Amino acid sequence: MTLDLSNTPAASEEPVSTIAALRDRLERAHLNLEAALDAVINMDEAGRVTGWSRQAERMFGYSQAQTLGREVAELIVPPAHREAHRQGMARYIRTATPTIVGQRVEVRGMRVDGSEFPIELTIAALLQNGVHFFCAHIRDITDRKLAEDDLRIAAVAFESHEGMAITDADGLILRVNQAFTAITGYSAAEALGQRMSLLRSGRQDEAFYEAMWAGIQQTGAWQGEIWNRRRSGEVYPEWLTVTAVLGGQGQITHYVGTFTDITRRKAADAEIQQLAFYDPLTGLPNRRLLTDRLKQALASCARSHHPGALLFIDLDHFKNLNDTLGHDQGDLLLQQVARRLNDCVREGDTVARLGGDEFVVMLQDLSEGLTEAATRAEAVGEKILVALRQPYQFSQLTHHSSASLGVALFSESHHSVDELLKRADLALYQAKDAGRNTLRFFDPEMQAAMTARAALEADLRHGLQESEFLLHYQPQVDEQGRLTGVEALVRWQHPRRGMVSPADFIPLAEDTRLILPLGQWVLETACHQLNAWAGQPHTAHLTLAVNVSAIQFHRADFVREVLATIDRAGAPASRLKLELTESLLVKDVDDIIAKMMALKAHGVGFALDDFGTGYSSLSYLKRLPLDQLKIDQSFLHEALSNPRDAVIASVIVALGQRMGMTVIAEGVETRAQRDFLEREGCHNFQGFYFGHPAPVEALERFFQRE
Ligand code: C2E
Ligand code: CA
Ligand code: CA
């Protein structure tokens, strides 16, 4: 910013040499007082105001009338500077010659309200008859100061860590900063006068630059990623912002380009990408990337109508290798498997690792029809199985392995990715079930069964919460038909399904371990019933048999829980009988005996259920402290017509009795069956012939009869 001092005496270029000329000038200046942009103040030797211009009134807030005769320093010089000002004036008077001395200084000014602002002060002095007169021209330079600050800040900012280049409207480089040189390798001297195309790498085509310039013209700025070339020839990525600078008329005067080198950020991005989407061990795509590609494959297959296939692969007995040879060898095996899988597929197919020893191969664009596609998928699957069966060579040893493989085809986009993964997984499950080292296709019937099972499981949990279960009791009688006890059989009164048979939900409850809360509920309910019977003379002798699943029995705190339940309900322990099945015996017989003995010590009895259907060895049977054998109903139903079954039944009766147990036959449906059993020496019966499982009230008729 230049100062316009043309109407101030001091600004005059040529030296002012005579007093006459000076006075003339001063008078002219005075005439200009009112018109001047600057404030003009005249003062006498003592620094008192003799003239105060309009502009001075505006600038400082005092009217001329308020100022005449007062010391200027007191009016417009902030207190802190006042003393210095006065001394300056005095020194000035002492040394001043009769000629004018123009001094332009930047000092602080003060308004009537005490507020300060920067001013530029030019003082002209006149010595007449030994007396000084002064004329001060004062300019408010607040705006100029701000502009100067801006410039200074801009200059500092220009030397930032971002590369910067300023070009004129034609794109010729006018200025570059140090960061520009650091990043591009071109010195300022080399860059000035060149175009920015100096840096072009050739990685972007003409269309790219056209779009970029169109953006700048339209919106005044553009930013984006761009590949440029350093002086050394190295190509690097940068993040570039180009801003157009507009002149007063809105025309573009300059362009400012700022950029940062993003080589490192890009490398970091790539690494993050690698970590997020690839399995570190094998370098194969992970589940996330597979899911992504599967989505795309489904979409493209809806367009092309070419089916694809998803192959789930699981190494057989991989855990064994890991456990025996260690994780390092396990990792080596997985890496070799990954390589073999990649060798089995085409370029466009995806091999992924889901984790552990689970791999997935996605085949795309198999062919037109589903049948043809299935054949192709099967061929690839077989090839994979063969490849994975080849011996694996580790440094010291050769390892043999095999894999199981499940295939799910996809032809329409209406399968979701999840659904498809589940299907392939189910097929894999089937392959494993079929003895491993084999391949299975997804089968919709199996799917239906699994879905139904999942629904039943959810219902079962819900049913437990909502107390949808109840106990029925089936009579057990002696040869006189007198009631000796009952077996508790659980019933599920489902709000929609109706009465659900335990045969349908007990196996599921065992699989999901829901048998634990359910079994506990049964035991508790049964014990409360025993407690109720204990108080009545005609029921006090009744025993109550409760079915106990192996899962319950194998729990470490089974004994404690049973005893606590008996205790809480106040039930006579000696009337409680637990029915165990032979399936229990496959595990740790010593532990079973210990638990049975602990409970027997409190009077609890044991019956072996479904006897004759399992494979229990007689030697085990002899060791178990059982009280009762229950002959399975399957023997009875044929016993009368089939002599073989009849023999077995009679042998079992004899066997039980020889081992000191009572024998009870279940499933007795006819008088003939009952009589046959009695002839064979069996004196206890349970079955429809004597009574169906029913609510406790149904037992009343036995008591009335007595
Ligand atoms: P189970 O322990 O062998 O029970 C005997 C089954 O035979 C019962 O079936 C009973 O209703 C049926 N039954 C009784 N008399 C006759 C007859 O004369 N003819 C024929 N054909 N059947 C007869 P249910 O009640 O359907 O129970 C099936 C199985 O569910 C039981 O077999 C038992 O293994 C299991 N179960 C029932 N309640 C429980 C329980 O509370 N806990 C456990 N863990 N399992 C239970
Ligand atoms: Ca039973
Ligand atoms: Ca049974």
Side-chain angles (χ1 to χ4, degrees):
M1 179 177 288
T2 55
L3 293 171
D4 178 14
L5 297 171
S6 57
N7 58 350
T8 69
S12 176
E13 298 283 296
E14 76 268 27
V16 181
S17 52
T18 67
I19 289 172
L22 177 66
R23 180 187 284 155
D24 184 46
R25 287 249 176 114
L26 272 179
E27 273 170 7
R28 254 199 295 142
H30 206 80
L31 280 177
N32 283 342
L33 266 185
E34 301 313 315
L37 273 171
D38 292 350
V40 179
I41 300 171
N42 290 339
M43 30 187 166
D44 62 15
E45 202 172 44
R48 283 186 295 258
V49 176
T50 57
W52 190 267
S53 76
R54 273 278 149 71
Q55 191 59 29
E57 288 185 339
R58 250 170 257 139
M59 197 178 287
F60 294 102
Y62 294 101
S63 68
Q64 165 150 296
Q66 285 173 302
T67 61
L68 285 178
R70 292 179 65 183
E71 194 198 6
V72 172
E74 246 173 33
L75 293 168
I76 68 163
V77 179
H81 302 284
R82 231 169 257 163
E83 209 32 57
H85 174 84
R86 286 186 187 123
Q87 282 170 15
M89 290 284 280
R91 200 176 329 119
Y92 187 68
I93 289 166
R94 273 201 310 278
T95 59
T97 57
T99 51
I100 179 115
V101 175
Q103 255 198 351
R104 194 192 299 164
V105 289
E106 286 181 10
V107 293
R108 303 291 293 170
M110 187 181 71
R111 300 188 187 91
V112 64
D113 62 5
S115 60
E116 294 183 18
F117 60 110
I119 56 175
E120 186 182 79
L121 179 66
T122 310
I123 295 183
L126 166 66
L127 185 63
Q128 210 169 30
N129 302 330
V131 181
H132 281 94
F133 295 93
F134 299 98
C135 176
H137 281 246
I138 300 165
R139 173 166 298 189
D140 181 345
I141 56 171
T142 306
D143 288 346
R144 196 178 84 201
K145 280 284 181 206
L146 286 178
E148 281 172 9
D149 285 351
D150 281 353
L151 276 180
R152 242 191 345 269
I153 292 166
V156 172
F158 190 68
E159 287 307 338
S160 73
H161 64 283
E162 294 198 328
M164 282 197 210
I166 298 173
T167 74
D168 63 14
D170 296 326
L172 296 177
I173 298 175
L174 300 177
R175 266 187 85 175
V176 297
N177 67 356
Q178 284 164 17
F180 176 98
T181 303
I183 295 172
T184 66
Y186 289 102
S187 69
E190 288 167 323
L192 294 194
Q194 300 271 9
R195 295 183 172 281
M196 289 298 278
S197 55
L198 174 72
L199 303 174
R200 278 201 187 181
S201 66
R203 286 249 186 129
Q204 290 86 207
D205 56 10
E206 253 342 287
F208 175 89
Y209 291 104
E210 273 166 29
M212 172 173 148
W213 284 110
I216 297 170
Q217 303 303 329
Q218 268 167 27
T219 65
W222 178 91
Q223 52 179 326
E225 216 174 280
I226 184 168
W227 290 87
N228 272 346
R229 187 186 301 278
R230 301 190 219 273
R231 191 172 188 275
S232 64
E234 184 195 349
V235 171
Y236 69 99
E238 65 175 39
W239 181 260
L240 172 66
T241 306
V242 181
T243 312
V245 180
L246 300 184
Q249 264 72 54
Q251 82 289 12
I252 291 175
T253 60
H254 299 87
Y255 295 103
V256 178
T258 58
F259 55 90
T260 44
D261 185 339
I262 54 173
T263 309
R264 269 207 235 147
R265 199 180 80 198
K266 279 208 101 67
D269 281 357
E271 204 177 308
I272 287 167
Q273 167 99 354
Q274 181 73 23
L275 282 177
F277 292 106
Y278 292 87
D279 163 43
L281 179 66
T282 60
L284 293 178
N286 64 10
R287 182 186 289 272
R288 248 169 96 183
L289 185 53
L290 173 75
T291 309
D292 236 50
R293 294 206 182 151
L294 199 49
K295 265 186 211 147
Q296 285 169 18
L298 283 173
S300 92
C301 133
R303 266 179 270 119
S304 70
H305 301 295
H306 285 186
L310 204 61
L311 280 56
F312 256 49
I313 301 145
D314 190 287
L315 301 183
D316 297 332
H317 310 296
F318 174 69
K319 207 175 155 303
N320 289 357
L321 170 82
N322 243 352
D323 291 349
T324 53
L325 297 181
H327 285 267
D328 290 351
Q329 303 295 319
D331 285 355
L332 284 178
L333 178 73
L334 293 174
Q335 285 167 338
Q336 291 194 25
V337 166
R339 267 195 297 279
R340 290 183 191 187
L341 287 177
N342 264 325
D343 290 344
C344 287
V345 300
R346 293 178 305 181
E347 185 84 0
D349 299 329
T350 296
V351 178
R353 178 171 173 236
L354 297 190
D357 58 334
E358 279 183 26
F359 294 85
V360 172
V361 169
M362 183 180 80
L363 306 174
Q364 263 183 282
D365 247 341
L366 280 176
S367 57
E368 286 280 339
L370 263 184
T371 335
E372 176 71 1
T375 315
R376 295 275 303 280
E378 185 169 14
V380 176
E382 290 293 356
K383 189 171 152 194
I384 288 174
L385 289 183
V386 170
L388 297 186
R389 262 201 300 270
Q390 304 311 306
Y392 296 82
Q393 202 57 55
F394 301 134
S395 52
Q396 301 295 323
L397 65 153
T398 310
H399 178 74
H400 292 271
S401 180
S402 63
S404 303
L405 198 151
V407 187
L409 295 174
F410 55 93
S411 56
E412 311 286 340
S413 58
H414 65 241
H415 310 153
S416 72
V417 166
D418 277 353
E419 165 77 15
L420 209 56
L421 289 170
K422 216 183 295 161
R423 288 182 168 200
D425 199 23
L426 269 173
L428 171 64
Y429 182 82
Q430 270 190 318
K432 286 206 171 277
D433 228 31
R436 299 165 202 262
N437 189 15
T438 185
L439 172 159
R440 284 289 178 279
F441 274 81
F442 167 75
D443 166 8
E445 262 174 44
M446 180 182 180
Q447 166 81 10
M450 298 294 274
T451 312
R453 219 180 108 96
L456 187 62
E457 184 187 337
D459 273 12
L460 199 55
R461 284 180 198 284
H462 186 255
L464 269 167
Q465 268 167 16
E466 299 297 313
S467 317
E468 288 168 6
F469 294 89
L470 45 109
L471 277 193
H472 276 183
Y473 300 92
Q474 186 173 32
Q476 296 178 332
V477 301
D478 61 15
E479 66 241 89
Q480 269 85 48
R482 286 180 304 222
L483 188 68
T484 58
V486 296
E487 178 181 3
L489 293 158
V490 69
R491 296 289 177 264
W492 184 6
Q493 182 65 62
H494 190 279
R496 270 193 342 275
R497 299 173 196 256
M499 198 66 97
V500 187
S501 161
D504 290 335
F505 67 83
I506 294 289
L508 178 65
E510 287 179 334
D511 280 358
T512 54
R513 302 186 72 79
L514 285 171
I515 192 70
L516 293 175
L518 178 63
Q520 179 57 30
W521 176 84
V522 169
L523 187 66
E524 237 164 64
T525 311
C527 284
H528 279 114
Q529 188 57 59
L530 272 179
N531 169 274
W533 282 340
Q536 307 274 327
H538 64 290
T539 53
H541 66 287
L542 295 178
T543 59
L544 204 163
V546 170
N547 293 284
V548 170
S549 129
I551 298 195
Q552 290 170 271
F553 193 86
H554 285 307
R555 289 262 302 199
D557 57 356
F558 177 73
V559 172
R560 204 170 48 78
E561 287 224 326
V562 172
L563 292 177
T565 308
I566 292 171
D567 234 42
R568 272 199 304 275
S574 59
R575 299 282 176 266
L576 180 66
K577 192 160 59 184
L578 300 183
E579 289 196 5
L580 309 178
T581 57
E582 287 172 272
S583 65
L584 194 77
L585 299 174
V586 295
K587 247 189 181 172
D588 197 355
V589 177
D590 289 334
D591 177 62
I592 296 168
I593 294 173
K595 281 176 170 162
M596 288 173 75
M597 293 305 266
L599 285 166
K600 275 184 82 74
H602 289 83
V604 178
F606 287 93
L608 190 65
D609 204 355
D610 305 337
F611 185 70
T613 56
Y615 321 86
S616 53
S617 94
L618 288 178
S619 61
Y620 279 165
L621 205 61
K622 229 168 83 185
R623 291 178 57 197
L624 294 179
L626 289 164
D627 301 285
Q628 190 172 56
L629 276 189
K630 273 188 113 168
I631 305 176
D632 190 73
Q633 48 185 306
S634 59
F635 288 112
L636 278 180
H637 295 156
E638 301 294 321
L640 287 181
S641 51
N642 187 335
R644 239 177 69 88
D645 281 321
V647 171
I648 294 175
S650 60
V651 168
I652 290 174
V653 173
L655 183 90
Q657 280 161 350
R658 286 279 283 284
M659 288 200 257
M661 301 177 225
T662 61
V663 176
I664 184 169
E666 64 177 341
V668 182
E669 293 179 344
T670 61
R671 173 88 210 183
Q673 286 171 345
R674 184 216 161 274
D675 293 345
F676 161 76
L677 286 161
E678 195 181 15
R679 278 198 303 279
E680 300 299 334
C682 175
H683 309 299
N684 296 283
F685 316 102
Q686 179 186 341
F688 294 166
Y689 180 67
F690 304 98
H692 284 260
V696 71
E697 297 77 33
L699 298 173
E700 285 300 321
R701 64 185 170 88
F702 284 97
F703 313 132
Q704 282 154 14
R705 206 197 294 165
E706 278 159 18

